[in-house]
Amino acid sequence: PVYISEDPGYGSDSAHAIVVWQGVDEPTPDGKVFRQVRVVDEIYERGIITEGIIDICMMRDWWKNDTKYYVSDPHYIDQHHSQSSVADTWTEKVGLTSMLGHRIQINEGTERLKTFLKIDELSGRAGVVIDPKCVGLLSELGVAPNPFDGQVRAYRWGTDREGNVVGSKPEDRYNHSIKALIYGLVSRFGLVTSNSGQKGRVRRLR
């Protein structure tokens, strides 16, 4: 299956981000399963309405996959403002309905992402791999320049003049592809509980 994860962004300096990924489960020598998320494509644009973003998606090779799941920022599922919401537009145009119906707190979402950023101790492999063309996501992770201005614009914690971390959660900036990926991961794999690492009770894609 192809997972289409979206964060529409908000404001003129935000990106409308689509992260496209697939999940691969492979058996390990000890009889367990190694799970890897492979980010295969990204759309990272400004100034394009939702219909235009969907048109770009429909031109990509992965769109031909018969099994596609769509997840968007839950905040935009019921935000109409006298017109179709972002999620409604996807449903009306291509028949895809967002599979995530509840909002995710920033810290609980990043905890789910962290579980895939770790290297598997037995195999030495990463839990998530990213195609180099996904420059928006890579820039937000701090390993590539921002595609809009060429500057370092990583998703980060706020700091004071001495460089000390301030606040209880990261700044809500330069994180659109990261948030899109988080929405997809939580919808597919659930939340991480504080004591066991098991899945929380959320709606599954399959």
Side-chain angles (χ1 to χ4, degrees), residues 60-183:
R60 301 292 172 93
D61 287 341
W62 48 261
W63 187 264
K64 300 173 185 176
N65 194 307
D66 291 333
T67 307
K68 294 185 289 290
Y69 296 111
Y70 162 69
V71 176
S72 188
D73 182 349
H75 176 75
Y76 290 92
I77 291 177
D78 55 4
Q79 296 294 307
H80 291 265
H81 305 295
S82 301
Q83 58 185 354
S84 295
S85 69
V86 172
D88 285 344
T89 300
W90 278 85
T91 303
E92 294 163 2
K93 189 173 179 69
V94 293
L96 294 178
T97 301
S98 180
M99 302 296 290
L100 188 62
H102 64 93
R103 299 188 184 185
I104 301 169
Q105 299 299 316
I106 289 178
N107 290 339
E108 65 182 7
T110 54
E111 285 303 310
R112 168 47 77 196
L113 177 60
K114 287 178 184 178
T115 65
F116 283 93
L117 293 177
K118 295 178 180 178
I119 301 297
D120 181 69
E121 295 181 357
L122 293 178
S123 67
R125 300 172 63 190
V128 60
V129 292
I130 303 169
D131 190 293
K133 67 174 173 282
C134 302
V135 292
L137 179 57
L138 292 173
S139 72
E140 294 175 358
L141 290 170
V143 296
N146 183 281
F148 297 126
D149 60 15
Q151 302 299 309
V152 176
R153 307 280 188 196
Y155 185 32
R156 55 179 293 175
W157 290 88
T159 57
D160 59 22
R161 293 182 178 180
E162 286 72 40
N164 300 309
V165 172
V166 296
S168 59
K169 56 187 179 181
E171 294 180 340
D172 193 21
R173 302 178 66 194
Y174 309 118
N175 57 359
H176 303 293
S177 277
I178 285 178
K179 289 199 295 186
L181 181 57
I182 285 173
Y183 300 145

Side-chain angles (χ1 to χ4, degrees), residues 187-198:
S187 185
R188 173 66 182 87
F189 303 110
L191 295 171
V192 178
T193 59
S194 59
N195 57 354
S196 66
Q198 298 299 311

Side-chain angles (χ1 to χ4, degrees), residues 11-12 14-16 45-50 53 148:
S12 60
S14 297
H16 191 141
E45 299 286 350
R46 286 177 178 170
I48 300 179
I49 62 175
T50 302
I53 293 293
F148 297 126

Side-chain angles (χ1 to χ4, degrees), residues 11-78:
S12 60
D13 62 345
S14 297
H16 191 141
I18 300 285
V19 173
V20 182
W21 57 278
Q22 295 177 300
V24 178
D25 291 348
E26 297 179 348
T28 60
D30 60 355
K32 298 181 180 179
V33 174
F34 172 71
R35 173 173 290 158
Q36 187 176 68
V37 166
R38 299 175 181 176
V39 180
V40 298
D41 199 8
E42 174 191 60
I43 297 167
Y44 201 77
E45 299 286 350
R46 286 177 178 170
I48 300 179
I49 62 175
T50 302
E51 288 90 342
I53 293 293
I54 297 173
D55 288 339
I56 296 173
C57 288
M58 294 174 67
M59 292 187 291
R60 301 292 172 93
D61 287 341
W62 48 261
W63 187 264
K64 300 173 185 176
N65 194 307
D66 291 333
T67 307
K68 294 185 289 290
Y69 296 111
Y70 162 69
V71 176
S72 188
D73 182 349
H75 176 75
Y76 290 92
I77 291 177
D78 55 4

